[in-house]
Amino acid sequence: MGPEYPNRANTYQGPGSTPFAPPRNNMPISSNSVVGSDASSFRPTSVPGPVIGTGAPGFRPMQPGRPAPAYGPPTSGPIQRFATPQFPAASQVPPPQAANIGQPIVPPSMRPPPPSQGPPMSTSVNRQPQIPSVPIGSPPQSMYSASRPNMYQAAPFTGPPFPGGFQAQQSSPVSPPPPPPPQVPYQGGYVPPQPTTSTPFSSHQGAYGRAPPAASSSGMYVGSSAPPTGGMSDLVEDFSSLSLGSAPGSFDPGLDTKVLPRPLDGDVEPSLFAGMYPMNCDSRYLRLTTSAIPNSQSLVSRWQLPLGAVVCPLAETPDGEEVPIVNFATTGIVRCRRCRTYVNPYVTFTDGGRKWRCNICALLNDVQNDYFASLDATGRRVDLDQHPELTKGSVEFVAPAEYMVRPPMPPLYFFLIDVSISAVKSGMLEVMAETIKSCLDRLPGSPRTQIGFITFDSTIHFYNMKSSLTQPQMMVVSDLDDIFVPLPDDLLVNLSESRAVVEAFLDSLPSMFQDNVNVESAFGPALKAAFMVMSQLGGKLLIFQSTLPSLGVGRLRLRGDDLRVYGTDKEHALRIPEDPFYKQMAADFTKYQVAVNIYAFSDKYTDIASLGTLAKYTGGQVYYYPSFHSVIHKYKLRHELARDLTRETAWEAVMRIRCGKGVRFTSYHGNFMLRSTDLLALPAVDCDKAYAMQFALEETLLTTQIVYFQVALLYTASCGERRIRVHTAAASVVPDLGEMYRQADTGAIVSLLARLAIEKSLSYKLEETRSAIQLRIVKALKEYRKLYAVQHRVGSRMIYPESLKYLALYGLSLSKSTALRGGYADAQLDERCAAGFTMMALPVKKMLKLLYPSLLRVDEYLIKTPNVDDEFSKVCTRLPLVADSLDSRGIYIFDDGFRFVVWFGRMISPDLARNLVEEDSSTEFSRNKVCLTERDNEISRKLMGILRKLREGDASYYQLCHLVRQGEQPREGFFLLLNLVEDQVGGMNGYADWLLQIHRQVQQ
């Protein structure tokens, strides 16, 4: 990976701007540049008159036996430009510059044949073909329709050339396209088809012909799909739509909310991408916001959504799908000598197997003698089945000595524990000590694992755990201004050697401080002491914090109580660290390979905005337990701390993502430190962390037909081996905005949008952040509408690509999320900041579950006779997140991946309630602190079994169970009603109103 060495000095990279926000200087590491800020906007106006010579789009009749293609916008026709209204949003994307007209149009890359048979993609809306003979106008009220994606039937072209065709300027003539690359087989046995035409305006690869575009009344071609030359009755729509049929001036939305598109099946990944490139890595590791890469700056400027990727390099794999480990031993890792790409399934071997061509930079590399194998008649290596790196999209290489600047570090866990009165009284100390002790056998890396402890209140307490002792020795340092470390060699010990001393310490810790009445917190000095102990080796620092830091360096003050700040330009300052001490400490920790995880427990303000900075820039995470009480929260803390300690962790890691010529990554978003322009420093990585990044085109026009991406994570495994995990993926380059939309991935787009929005909220008001989300969606749907506005009679319908049918709902959910919703009264400041830190690290599926949680009805399942597990799948039928889904005779489970809310209707049977909870069914749960525990009856066992199965589905967090009775306020509102994102709550629109608002802006 070239210079990917772990101990290279870090440099603060000044934040650049993102497309979401103007540049600010209050974050040390952030995005690097605006993606697409210099993207050109090539939209030529039409030139009347026929086109002569090579400039005219060539027409080729369909090959027999081929299905008709689903067309995208003509590669050659001009695109009509609509006036863009000014929205009252805070941040506007910079106006694109004009590109050179007359650039050669490269052959579009391959596209699979459209399905000629079989049902269309499932959707929650009714689909019916649009009947062209209906006059244009507002549809009747309450009419709701969606059009079925279909294909145009190509008609033979016999007439004269169309007016308004593409005419190249004389100053930049259309040059012939680059010749297609030679047909060299990929090693994995997959060969992308090449274009079969040599004209500049070639049809799709695979010999699908494109019908000539039809002219609009103004002589201009508009749309992603060129209509056929036959009669209007042949015109079938290639998009989904909603008829929003309200009368002018009426407040009635005029649409049936039951049929709005909803992601009730969870995260549905695009299947098209995996089918096109079967040797790509699994989407759990890498997801692109669209798997159709734009071929020009003009397309980038019209694609109004983020263009990028979400990477989860260590995602958990199902049994049997583990990433293969490859040890090249004496050969050394095979990499391109110019761009340092790792050998992968998309490289090609030539010259009888003596050379291989890099798929990213196209350089011919020599094959080392140890790695040589001859080629068979098809050009593939004869030993292909013995080389997973040539057949699998994900592989792990064992790194030789040159990938290390020091011996691989042992797994190291260091605990910094607040022992002030609030930590003792809440029971946190006891639960934490019990959990750590129960996990000692499962810590990764035994027998090399190291461990150490520091506790603090107004003083700092070190513990000597030398293996020759029977009890740990406590040493107290009270000078907070000049911290020193007593006995530096005995504070970090080998766990297997000092096991008895460590266990004795954990057993005595709660009683040691049970009478402590100290309310102070010398957190800053204690943090410096922990850094001094850990800086030799690195490792993971777990901080347990219950009190606002009040003594010594890094002390913080109460803020956020001033209501007058909210809604002003100073509001965002509450969500960023007040004291630069924490940013500087984070930079120091990262430099010495220390990752910081924060466990915050207070019932009062503890300034998560400042403390969370430690986790943000060291690749850690923030766990927040407001008003922690061991009776209620112990299972959640126990589960999450145990997972943090025992999950497989990659230590002292760096990550880089490479991409093909003409494309470059410009900004990165998540919890990490940016060490150079494209190298992410990650002191610790695990399966629960994801990172997002945006890319841009470096050239005006891409000449390649496929762009390759390769993620490489260099890390130390807990077993002591240095390894490189490599994920490789290919994506087609397209000249067609419609194709970009068709291959869009809503999950990746929403994950990237969420990170951009949270970063924007650190520099702007929440209201401006929410407006920016809506503006992105409006611009995208407006651009998509332009593709179809002329040939199709869309009237007042809202049209959208099938792939993005849930985008508007996820945008609404994001605006209503804890991190971004409302203002001062809608979420506590600590809770808002903790949610933001958490969302910045979430993988795609977890993010979508948080934004649109599950709502399940379970009472019918509970009272049925016991049955086999197949009944459970019926329970898991998700319901829309509206209050109308709740029946007062039922019991429901609300699950957002972080907590359960079990809702009891007020009319459920008293016997059913008594079987589940001890109190009488009329009791208010909050007053008696009712907990849900397994009781000795079948109904209770079945309910607890459901909760267990839901938790097993994703073990990254523990869903704590909250019981709510219908009508029990404010508890019902806080836990459930506020989170029914489709309803109008807290002054924010409901789903139907949100769609209408977006649609009105799209039509302007």
Side-chain angles (χ1 to χ4, degrees):
M1 208 183 284
E4 294 153 13
Y5 296 123
N7 274 357
R8 191 164 173 177
N10 290 340
T11 52
Y12 272 124
Q13 295 295 324
S17 51
T18 70
F20 229 81
R24 300 287 293 220
N25 275 334
N26 52 0
M27 306 298 283
I29 307 299
S30 181
S31 320
N32 289 53
S33 72
V34 178
V35 178
S37 64
D38 52 0
S40 55
S41 174
F42 167 40
R43 296 179 192 174
T45 55
S46 69
V47 184
V51 179
I52 3 183
T54 56
F59 171 76
R60 207 152 41 79
M62 299 298 298
Q63 289 190 3
R66 293 275 192 172
Y71 285 96
T75 56
S76 53
I79 306 298
Q80 183 174 355
R81 185 146 188 193
F82 287 71
T84 307
Q86 293 300 315
F87 298 111
S91 70
Q92 293 277 0
V93 179
Q97 306 161 1
N100 296 331
I101 296 179
Q103 294 283 359
I105 297 185
V106 298
S109 68
M110 53 169 246
R111 207 167 124 193
S116 53
Q117 296 172 356
M121 284 180 63
S122 65
T123 177
S124 353
V125 294
N126 304 318
R127 297 181 168 277
Q128 54 191 20
Q130 170 77 0
I131 300 169
S133 57
V134 177
I136 295 179
S138 291
Q141 281 204 359
S142 301
M143 171 184 163
Y144 180 86
S145 77
S147 314
R148 178 174 182 166
N150 211 319
M151 287 59 77
Y152 296 119
Q153 305 302 319
F157 175 57
T158 53
F162 282 3
F166 182 93
Q167 182 170 351
Q169 291 186 357
Q170 292 181 358
S171 58
S172 56
V174 176
S175 56
Q183 281 278 12
V184 183
Y186 288 97
Q187 289 308 301
Y190 171 72
V191 185
Q194 302 298 331
T196 56
T197 172
S198 57
T199 65
F201 306 102
S202 65
S203 51
H204 286 292
Q205 290 190 13
Y208 303 148
R210 180 190 294 277
S216 71
S217 56
S218 61
M220 302 177 70
Y221 306 145
V222 183
S224 82
S225 303
T229 54
M232 280 296 289
S233 59
D234 292 335
L235 192 59
V236 189
E237 293 176 355
D238 191 19
F239 51 80
S240 306
S241 69
L242 291 173
S243 285
L244 307 176
S246 56
S250 136
F251 288 99
D252 173 22
L255 67 113
D256 182 0
T257 57
K258 289 179 182 163
V259 287
L260 294 176
R262 295 180 173 94
L264 299 180
D265 295 325
D267 174 30
V268 180
E269 298 173 30
S271 56
L272 183 64
F273 190 33
M276 287 166 66
Y277 295 101
M279 292 186 303
N280 278 1
C281 63
D282 193 280
S283 60
R284 69 174 75 94
Y285 304 116
L286 171 68
R287 287 175 71 166
L288 300 171
T289 54
T290 174
S291 46
I293 307 300
N295 76 336
S296 65
Q297 295 281 15
S298 66
L299 271 191
V300 174
S301 65
R302 292 168 59 206
W303 166 261
Q304 301 287 352
L305 296 166
L307 189 61
V310 182
V311 174
C312 186
L314 292 179
E316 282 185 298
T317 55
D319 290 340
E321 293 185 33
E322 290 79 9
V323 175
I325 297 173
V326 176
N327 191 345
F328 280 120
T330 55
T331 310
I333 296 178
V334 180
R335 299 177 70 176
C336 174
R337 68 176 187 271
R338 179 164 66 194
C339 70
R340 309 302 291 153
T341 294
Y342 294 85
V343 67
N344 63 77
Y346 294 106
V347 305
T348 51
F349 286 81
T350 60
D351 194 13
R354 286 182 287 274
K355 293 186 181 296
W356 64 275
R357 186 178 297 280
C358 173
N359 56 308
I360 284 188
C361 74
L363 182 74
L364 265 181
N365 293 270
D366 293 325
V367 176
Q368 298 176 39
N369 292 336
D370 295 353
Y371 197 59
F372 174 79
S374 54
L375 308 183
D376 64 13
T378 64
R380 294 182 184 85
R381 286 174 61 115
V382 293
D383 63 348
L384 202 58
D385 56 343
Q386 298 165 31
H387 288 276
E389 75 275 11
L390 298 177
T391 56
K392 306 276 188 191
S394 295
V395 71
E396 197 152 277
F397 298 115
V398 177
E402 60 261 30
Y403 288 81
M404 311 173 198
V405 291
R406 64 174 186 175
M409 60 170 279
L412 190 153
Y413 295 88
F414 198 82
F415 301 88
L416 184 60
I417 304 163
D418 181 352
V419 291
S420 62
I421 184 169
S422 59
V424 177
K425 287 278 172 61
S426 67
M428 178 273 283
L429 218 52
E430 190 174 357
V431 177
M432 182 215 63
E434 284 174 7
T435 306
I436 296 172
K437 184 180 176 184
S438 71
C439 291
L440 291 179
D441 286 327
R442 293 181 289 146
L443 292 182
S446 179
R448 303 165 64 243
T449 312
Q450 305 259 319
I451 197 167
F453 299 85
I454 288 178
T455 59
F456 65 95
D457 43 27
S458 60
T459 55
I460 301 170
H461 324 124
F462 297 87
Y463 298 89
N464 177 1
M465 298 203 177
K466 204 171 179 179
S467 56
S468 56
L469 300 172
T470 53
Q471 288 286 329
Q473 290 177 348
M474 182 164 98
M475 294 153 287
V476 179
V477 174
S478 53
D479 183 357
L480 303 181
D481 296 325
D482 186 17
I483 288 295
F484 70 97
V485 177
L487 296 172
D489 297 334
D490 298 326
L491 301 179
L492 265 179
V493 294
N494 181 287
L495 176 59
S496 56
E497 293 172 5
S498 299
R499 177 68 179 263
V501 190
V502 171
E503 288 190 350
F505 168 74
L506 292 169
D507 287 337
S508 60
L509 181 60
S511 56
M512 204 187 305
F513 294 100
Q514 64 186 9
D515 300 321
N516 192 6
V517 291
N518 197 321
V519 295
E520 302 292 349
S521 168
F523 174 64
L527 192 65
K528 290 185 80 171
F531 172 72
M532 292 161 76
V533 175
M534 298 183 73
S535 57
Q536 292 300 312
L537 285 173
K540 188 182 277 191
L541 174 62
L542 292 89
I543 295 173
F544 298 84
Q545 174 72 11
S546 293
T547 316
L548 187 71
S550 59
L551 295 176
V553 64
R555 61 179 167 272
L556 298 168
R557 63 185 178 89
L558 284 169
R559 53 186 185 140
D561 290 338
D562 187 358
L563 285 173
R564 292 170 299 179
V565 174
Y566 286 83
T568 71
D569 291 337
K570 296 179 182 176
E571 174 197 314
H572 72 271
L574 299 174
R575 297 187 284 276
I576 58 176
E578 184 180 36
D579 189 335
F581 167 77
Y582 291 99
K583 269 185 206 169
Q584 184 55 51
M585 285 303 299
D588 292 343
F589 276 125
T590 305
K591 183 176 180 180
Y592 289 96
Q593 306 297 346
V594 177
V596 180
N597 283 0
I598 303 281
Y599 290 78
F601 298 92
S602 179
D603 53 347
K604 301 186 184 71
Y605 177 70
T606 48
D607 201 347
I608 300 292
S610 295
L611 301 184
T613 309
L614 294 165
K616 177 178 174 62
Y617 296 117
T618 63
Q621 69 193 95
V622 175
Y623 296 89
Y624 182 53
Y625 305 86
S627 306
F628 180 87
H629 197 281
S630 60
V631 175
I632 300 168
H633 300 95
K634 67 178 175 185
Y635 294 110
K636 183 171 178 66
L637 174 58
R638 192 176 288 170
H639 174 96
E640 290 173 358
L641 176 55
R643 180 169 176 88
D644 189 11
L645 293 175
T646 59
R647 65 187 166 194
E648 186 51 56
T649 300
W651 307 89
E652 49 181 349
V654 287
M655 184 171 79
R656 175 174 276 137
I657 179 165
R658 294 178 171 85
C659 49
K661 186 184 174 193
V663 179
R664 67 183 174 90
F665 280 91
T666 55
S667 65
Y668 300 84
H669 312 275
N671 292 355
F672 55 82
M673 184 77 83
L674 207 52
R675 191 175 285 184
S676 64
T677 53
D678 64 345
L679 190 67
L680 277 60
L682 301 164
V685 194
D686 54 68
C687 56
D688 299 326
K689 306 279 194 314
Y691 310 91
M693 51 274 298
Q694 297 187 92
F695 59 82
L697 301 193
E698 290 185 297
E699 302 168 1
T700 309
L701 208 61
L702 287 186
T703 53
T704 54
Q705 293 158 18
I706 299 176
V707 170
Y708 299 93
F709 299 90
Q710 189 176 78
V711 180
L713 179 79
L714 171 66
Y715 72 96
T716 298
S718 293
C719 64
E721 246 180 4
R722 199 81 173 130
R723 291 185 182 172
I724 306 162
R725 178 168 287 209
V726 177
H727 304 296
T728 309
S732 300
V733 176
V734 300
D736 176 350
L737 187 64
E739 189 63 23
M740 289 180 68
Y741 279 113
R742 267 188 289 279
Q743 295 194 38
D745 180 343
T746 302
I749 289 170
V750 171
S751 290
L752 193 41
L753 265 180
R755 286 167 167 84
L756 292 170
I758 289 163
E759 286 177 359
K760 186 179 175 72
S761 74
L762 304 180
S763 309
Y764 291 88
K765 293 183 282 190
L766 291 171
E767 183 183 346
E768 294 176 0
T769 304
R770 294 191 293 267
S771 298
I773 296 169
Q774 187 177 25
L775 185 64
R776 290 295 281 262
I777 296 170
V778 167
K779 283 183 172 181
L781 293 179
K782 182 189 287 276
E783 201 68 56
Y784 187 74
R785 186 180 180 86
K786 289 178 191 176
L787 300 179
Y788 296 94
V790 173
Q791 311 96 312
H792 297 276
R793 295 173 177 174
V794 293
S796 66
R797 287 181 298 156
M798 177 177 185
I799 69 169
Y800 50 87
E802 173 73 15
S803 59
L804 296 179
K805 60 186 174 185
Y806 306 134
L807 179 63
L809 179 53
Y810 279 127
L812 175 65
S813 303
L814 180 57
S815 301
K816 291 185 173 185
S817 65
T818 306
L820 301 177
R821 69 179 173 218
Y824 169 79
D826 296 281
Q828 290 185 352
L829 186 54
D830 274 348
E831 186 183 13
R832 197 185 289 282
C833 293
F837 284 124
T838 299
M839 290 170 72
M840 287 298 287
L842 287 184
V844 174
K845 287 186 185 302
K846 192 82 183 167
M847 176 78 80
L848 298 186
K849 177 78 173 285
L850 175 64
L851 293 178
Y852 197 85
S854 303
L855 182 65
L856 315 171
R857 181 167 186 169
V858 296
D859 55 292
E860 295 166 354
Y861 170 75
L862 296 179
I863 54 182
K864 280 184 183 171
T865 53
N867 206 331
V868 286
D869 279 351
D870 63 352
E871 286 287 320
F872 176 72
S873 57
K874 295 178 186 171
V875 179
C876 289
T877 305
R878 294 171 64 174
L879 301 170
L881 292 180
V882 289
D884 289 348
S885 296
L886 302 172
D887 182 342
S888 57
R889 296 164 296 184
I891 296 176
Y892 295 80
I893 296 174
F894 173 90
D895 169 22
D896 65 2
F898 290 82
R899 65 180 171 191
F900 291 140
V901 179
V902 181
W903 185 87
F904 286 72
R906 61 161 63 95
M907 294 172 65
I908 64 166
S909 136
D911 291 340
L912 181 58
R914 271 194 292 271
N915 276 317
L916 297 173
V917 292
E918 295 177 14
E919 274 68 14
D920 184 277
S921 59
S922 62
T923 316
E924 282 195 1
F925 293 147
S926 54
R927 193 173 299 162
N928 293 283
K929 288 193 165 57
V930 177
C931 288
L932 198 61
T933 54
E934 189 164 314
R935 310 186 68 204
D936 190 18
N937 64 71
E938 188 59 34
I939 290 178
S940 176
R941 280 190 286 272
K942 285 171 85 172
L943 179 59
M944 297 308 285
I946 292 173
L947 299 182
R948 253 193 314 277
K949 276 187 183 291
L950 292 174
R951 285 184 182 123
E952 286 166 6
D954 179 6
S956 53
Y957 289 88
Y958 181 90
Q959 296 101 317
L960 189 65
C961 197
H962 302 274
L963 300 189
V964 169
R965 173 165 306 291
Q966 185 180 5
E968 180 185 353
Q969 298 300 350
R971 190 178 171 87
E972 182 189 27
F974 175 77
F975 281 119
L976 185 62
L977 301 183
L978 188 62
N979 298 302
L980 297 178
V981 293
E982 292 189 39
D983 283 337
Q984 188 170 344
V985 179
M988 288 202 64
N989 282 336
Y991 187 17
D993 293 333
W994 170 261
L995 279 179
L996 282 165
Q997 190 178 359
I998 285 177
H999 183 51
R1000 276 196 296 269
Q1001 294 186 23
V1002 166
Q1003 284 185 304
Q1004 283 177 10

